[in-house]
Amino acid sequence: MKQSIIKKITAREILASGAYPTVETTVELRGGAIGRASVPYGASAGSNEASVLLDGNKKRYGGRGCQKVVRNVEKKIFPTLRNKKIKSQRMLDKILTSLDPTPRKTKLGGNAILSVSVAFARAAAAQQKKPLYKYIKQSMKRSVGKKVRLQKKKRLPVREYPVARPMMVVIEGGKHGENSTDFQEYIICPLKNIKYAESVRINIEVYHALKKVLKKRKYGTNVGTEGAFVPAGIKSNELPLKFIVEAIKAAGYKPGVDVGIALDPAASEFYVPGKKRPYFLSCEKKRLTAVQMMQYYGRLIKKYPIVSIEDGFDEDDWDHWPTWHKKFGKEILIMGDDLTVTQEKFLQKAIDLSAINSILIKPNQVGTLTETLDTMHLAKSRGMHTIVSHRGGGDTNDTLIMDLAYAAGSLFTKVGPSRGERVEKYNRMLEIALENKK
Ligand code: 2PG
Ligand code: MG
């Protein structure tokens, strides 16, 4: 890589989709190349995620201002980087992590650090006259490399797609939709190996068909934080699966053949520690042990074309993840999110315990682009699938995750179907697919 000399770094407070502030950072290189990035935040964040530093000043945004983050970028990070000759993304990210070696980047804020890491990546890509995905691919190759065969799952027709398929959240509950299901997300994923634009079209057609199905049953069709429907008042976590199957058929597709279903129960959110039956499904008024929870999922897997379950168990329930993976891991994706928080350390633990076969990737869970790529490489080197995801708390129009998913050869991206900040991401991937005729 041509070296980049950092001329200026500025940051400002902007609004994210959750109507709270986040940070946007701009990096300017000598020679004029500019890169800009903003970072999202979660609603049901894992407890080991890189920190989202907030001001805590109750007089502004109820304590959720990001002026400290702005100051950290401009007054603490920039002075160290000013006029530095940066030879690679890894070098930049190493400097950033050395400025804040705390496990969760609490000193400067994971949000501050990631915004600089990604803004620099965009500036360097611009300097090299490359699209971001090419720059990321190059950074990944340089730091990692090795090609491995990804695992095959019975319910997934292929090992890889030329462009990560759109896993689209169509019904939400939990922390993303009030008075809805306990499970946080019901997701559709096109399974056929067709052009990317066609896979988006199929999903969107199912999404609109689902709106009609919900209306017919007198459920509201307002959307939640990720642009998916929130069927308020629903009394079961199973019903949405029934509705989605109906919608897939109504749109003219075959459930399990053309379109599969994924779940993100985000089980940590309904786990009550210390209880004999810690999994509490409030909309069904059920309290279940981990074994019963597994049986519950087992029934759903048998009955519906489920291809993936993410965070089926609590993030600290390491005792049950391996059994769960052993039972269903050949058939579907058993995915870690809060469990693994995009960090090599937790992914390694999950590998050692054989707890998962796939991992959700959110750059802001770890805090730099290089660490994200390292985690993705570790997953791939074990034949595990990576799925790159948006955030449900507040997201922005930043489309990094799509370039990342394409560059790293992820199987899916998880993004909601409506709301500007989500649509922007699909439109970015449509652009990438078109550019690459895929
Ligand atoms: C998740 C995410 C994204 P949040 O749990 O996978 O859908 O939600 O960003 O709120 O953690
Ligand atoms: Mg999740």
Side-chain angles (χ1 to χ4, degrees), residues 195-261:
K195 286 243 169 178
Y196 179 73
E198 290 297 283
S199 67
V200 170
R201 177 181 60 78
I202 289 175
N203 270 8
I204 293 294
E205 287 171 6
V206 174
Y207 176 69
H208 289 296
L210 180 61
K211 187 171 188 170
K212 286 190 191 141
V213 171
L214 290 170
K215 272 194 163 164
K216 200 172 75 192
R217 317 261 171 136
K218 306 272 184 282
Y219 285 106
T221 52
N222 290 335
V223 299
T225 63
E226 296 183 338
F229 301 123
V230 176
I234 197 158
K235 292 281 178 285
S236 113
N237 293 292
E238 179 179 344
L239 264 182
L241 291 164
K242 218 171 136 187
F243 298 160
I244 292 170
V245 166
E246 203 177 314
I248 295 171
K249 288 185 189 156
Y253 302 105
K254 280 205 182 93
V257 177
D258 299 312
V259 183
I261 304 177

Side-chain angles (χ1 to χ4, degrees), residues 179-401:
N179 194 19
S180 177
T181 49
D182 301 287
F183 291 1
Q184 184 178 277
E185 296 158 24
Y186 296 77
I187 308 155
I188 49 171
C189 21
L191 301 174
K192 288 267 171 75
N193 202 354
I194 45 178
K195 286 243 169 178
Y196 179 73
E198 290 297 283
S199 67
V200 170
R201 177 181 60 78
I202 289 175
N203 270 8
I204 293 294
E205 287 171 6
V206 174
Y207 176 69
H208 289 296
L210 180 61
K211 187 171 188 170
K212 286 190 191 141
V213 171
L214 290 170
K215 272 194 163 164
K216 200 172 75 192
R217 317 261 171 136
K218 306 272 184 282
Y219 285 106
T221 52
N222 290 335
V223 299
T225 63
E226 296 183 338
F229 301 123
V230 176
I234 197 158
K235 292 281 178 285
S236 113
N237 293 292
E238 179 179 344
L239 264 182
L241 291 164
K242 218 171 136 187
F243 298 160
I244 292 170
V245 166
E246 203 177 314
I248 295 171
K249 288 185 189 156
Y253 302 105
K254 280 205 182 93
V257 177
D258 299 312
V259 183
I261 304 177
L263 290 175
D264 177 7
S268 298
E269 298 299 333
F270 54 83
Y271 181 80
V272 191
K275 294 276 181 217
K276 228 166 128 190
R277 291 175 293 147
Y279 290 94
F280 177 43
L281 302 178
S282 68
C283 81
E284 299 177 27
K285 299 196 171 48
K286 269 191 190 134
R287 290 179 191 276
L288 307 176
T289 63
V291 172
Q292 288 167 331
M293 194 69 236
M294 212 172 300
Q295 289 161 349
Y296 186 108
Y297 291 137
R299 271 197 307 278
L300 298 183
I301 293 171
K302 215 166 163 195
K303 218 162 146 190
Y304 301 95
I306 291 172
V307 297
S308 167
I309 300 185
E310 170 192 335
D311 279 350
F313 292 85
D314 176 64
E315 64 177 43
D316 290 320
D317 197 357
W318 287 95
D319 286 352
H320 294 99
W321 277 88
T323 333
W324 163 233
H325 177 222
K326 195 165 177 202
K327 227 169 164 172
F328 296 103
K330 287 207 166 60
E331 218 161 320
I332 66 167
L333 298 177
I334 299 294
M335 208 194 297
D337 168 20
D338 290 353
L339 184 79
T340 37
V341 289
T342 315
Q343 294 175 28
E344 265 189 298
K345 185 172 75 179
F346 296 102
L347 174 57
Q348 191 57 57
K349 182 174 177 185
I351 291 169
D352 294 343
L353 293 172
S354 188
I356 53 172
N357 58 26
S358 47
I359 177 169
L360 200 78
I361 298 290
K362 297 163 171 166
N364 85 311
Q365 283 183 325
V366 58
T368 62
L369 190 53
T370 301
E371 289 167 291
T372 307
L373 294 177
D374 285 349
T375 303
M376 293 176 97
H377 173 253
L378 174 60
K380 266 200 141 176
S381 71
R382 301 306 174 103
M384 288 168 58
H385 287 288
T386 59
I387 290 86
V388 185
S389 169
H390 64 172
R391 295 305 314 237
D395 213 312
T396 71
N397 282 1
D398 194 299
T399 53
L400 162 75
I401 59 167

Side-chain angles (χ1 to χ4, degrees), residues 1 3 34 43 79 84 98 108 115 118 149 155 184 239 258 280 311 331 361 395 435 437:
M1 173 176 140
Q3 69 182 16
I34 284 180
K84 268 245 154 69
S98 69
L108 295 174
S115 74
V118 179
R149 216 166 149 71
R155 295 194 182 195
Q184 184 178 277
L239 264 182
D258 299 312
F280 177 43
D311 279 350
E331 218 161 320
I361 298 290
D395 213 312
E435 242 168 61
K437 301 193 173 56

